[in-house]
Amino acid sequence: MASFIDPLITFVSAHPWLAYLTLFLAALLEAVPVVGSVVPGSTIILALSALIPGGELKLGWVLLAAAAGALLGDGSAFWFGHRAQREILNAWPLSNYPRLIAQSEAFFHRWGTLAVFFARFVPPIRAFVPMTAGALGMAPLRFYAVNIPAILLWAPAHVLPGVLAVSALHEYAGLPPHAGIAKHYWILAVIGGALIVALVTWTIRRRHGGMEPTAEQVRKDFR
């Protein structure tokens, strides 16, 4: 992974507008079913956030790019599911991931509407839950009422650990905040963010209990 991330950081640090575009696409693709299971979107976001203390990127634009990509990705997946209904869950390529689809439905049975909120912090079902929500008949207003606050918390949770880690190195290790230094410490950003995501994931899964729903039970959660 480092062989891929290091050249990426080096390149985008010299082209800020490409960095923001990369952040946007990373967040968007992470929300696409199947694709989101293999694209290291969270890792890319955490790594690029390490460029903020050195001045290569601006915190506000990083947060905006990540949130906008996640919103477009989640929203597009939801509307695909909403229009196609449950048939899309049995169509290719989702038919190749029955376990993840079952986990997504189980999430709704356990958490109801709040499944949309919690799933944003739980890979890899994060990429499947929005489409599943649409396919199971969740009302659009209810989806966005939960999805938008989740994204507004998810973006800082992925960006700020990198900022804090590199800022601490500048402050306490005496490292100068010049351009390019952050790329050597992106792994600290990833570790910090991973710890946050792991804590949320553990909490949710501990309460989840592995209950498998029926389609009718899942539909009742949206009424």
Side-chain angles (χ1 to χ4, degrees), residues 91-185:
W92 184 88
L94 297 184
S95 58
N96 294 333
Y97 299 87
R99 184 170 176 272
L100 287 174
I101 295 299
Q103 287 180 341
S104 297
E105 294 192 37
F107 237 67
F108 287 114
H109 176 55
R110 176 66 174 174
W111 297 101
T113 302
L114 287 177
V116 174
F117 183 94
F118 292 135
R120 176 118 279 279
F121 299 88
V122 184
I125 66 169
R126 170 169 55 217
F128 290 82
V129 165
M131 183 171 288
T132 302
L136 296 178
M138 189 174 192
L141 289 179
R142 180 171 294 183
F143 172 80
Y144 285 111
V146 179
N147 181 245
I148 291 176
I151 289 174
L152 293 179
L153 288 178
W154 168 86
H158 278 64
V159 171
L160 294 182
V163 176
L164 295 175
V166 177
S167 295
L169 287 173
H170 292 161
E171 180 71 21
Y172 299 107
L175 297 175
H178 59 73
I181 194 170
K183 74 184 182 67
H184 300 294
Y185 302 99

Side-chain angles (χ1 to χ4, degrees), residues 8 11-13 15-28 44-45 48-49 51-52 55-69 159:
L8 175 64
F11 180 75
V12 300
S13 63
H15 305 84
W17 70 271
L18 284 177
Y20 298 127
L21 178 61
T22 300
L23 287 161
F24 174 83
L25 292 176
L28 188 154
I44 292 173
I45 294 170
L48 292 181
S49 69
L51 296 172
I52 295 173
E56 293 97 331
L57 300 179
K58 302 298 183 183
L59 176 60
W61 286 108
V62 168
L63 291 172
L64 179 61
V159 171

